[in-house]
Amino acid sequence: QVQLVESGGGLAQPGGSLRLSCAASGFTFSSNAMSWARQAPGKGLEWVSGIGSDSVTHYAESVKGRFTISRDNAKNTLYLQMNSLKPEDTALYYCARAREKGYSDALIDYDYWGQGTQVTVSS
C-alpha cells in the first residue's frame, strides 16, 4: 500500500526557512519521480517543484532560487527546503508520486498524494 506522509510545516516569519519532509512507503521510491504541490486558501492546487528518478530537479518560477527539492532514496524520503519565505507561500503543501520515472509539472500525472502539511508565513 502506497503511503506518503508529510511533515515539517509550521509558522515562519517572512524571510525565514522551513524544511518539509515526505516519508514514502509501499513502493520502490527510487523508481518514481516525485513532486511538491501546494494549495493556498481559496485557490487551486499548484505544482511547486519536482525531481526525477535521476534526481534532476525542476521548479516553478515563483519558487526558483528560494526552494530546493531533494530526495534520499536510502531513507525513502523527499525533502523541500524553503528559504526566503514570503506570505504568498502560505499554503497546504502536498508531496505526490508520479506515475513514471520522469518528472512532470502536470498534476494529472501524479497518482498518490499525501495528506498535506500546513505552511504559514506571517509576522
Side-chain angles (χ1 to χ4, degrees), residues 6 23-24 67 84:
E6 302 95 335
F67 289 11
S84 303

Side-chain angles (χ1 to χ4, degrees), residues 27-38:
F27 66 104
T28 305
F29 180 70
S30 58
S31 296
N32 292 76
M34 301 290 295
S35 274
W36 290 95
R38 66 187 181 186

Side-chain angles (χ1 to χ4, degrees), residues 3-123:
Q3 285 194 317
L4 301 171
V5 180
E6 302 95 335
S7 61
L11 176 64
Q13 291 190 338
S17 298
L18 285 173
R19 188 195 196 201
L20 306 184
S21 299
C22 172
S25 61
F27 66 104
T28 305
F29 180 70
S30 58
S31 296
N32 292 76
M34 301 290 295
S35 274
W36 290 95
R38 66 187 181 186
Q39 186 164 25
K43 296 189 176 182
L45 196 59
E46 173 193 23
W47 176 81
V48 172
S49 179
I51 184 167
S53 59
D54 56 2
S55 294
V56 176
T57 59
H58 307 268
Y59 300 93
E61 284 298 322
S62 59
V63 306
K64 196 171 289 184
R66 300 187 298 121
F67 289 11
T68 302
I69 189 172
S70 62
R71 65 191 301 161
D72 185 334
N73 291 335
K75 294 183 178 180
N76 290 345
T77 302
L78 178 73
Y79 301 100
L80 185 68
Q81 177 67 44
M82 305 187 296
N83 298 330
S84 303
L85 283 163
K86 304 176 181 180
E88 51 263 43
D89 294 320
T90 295
L92 189 60
Y93 282 73
Y94 299 93
C95 70
R97 187 190 81 162
R99 301 176 196 276
E100 306 292 342
K101 291 184 177 182
Y103 114 98
S104 169
D105 60 4
L107 300 177
I108 196 172
D109 291 331
Y110 292 83
D111 55 1
Y112 286 93
W113 296 76
Q115 82 290 347
T117 186
Q118 178 67 39
V119 170
T120 302
V121 183
S122 174
S123 55

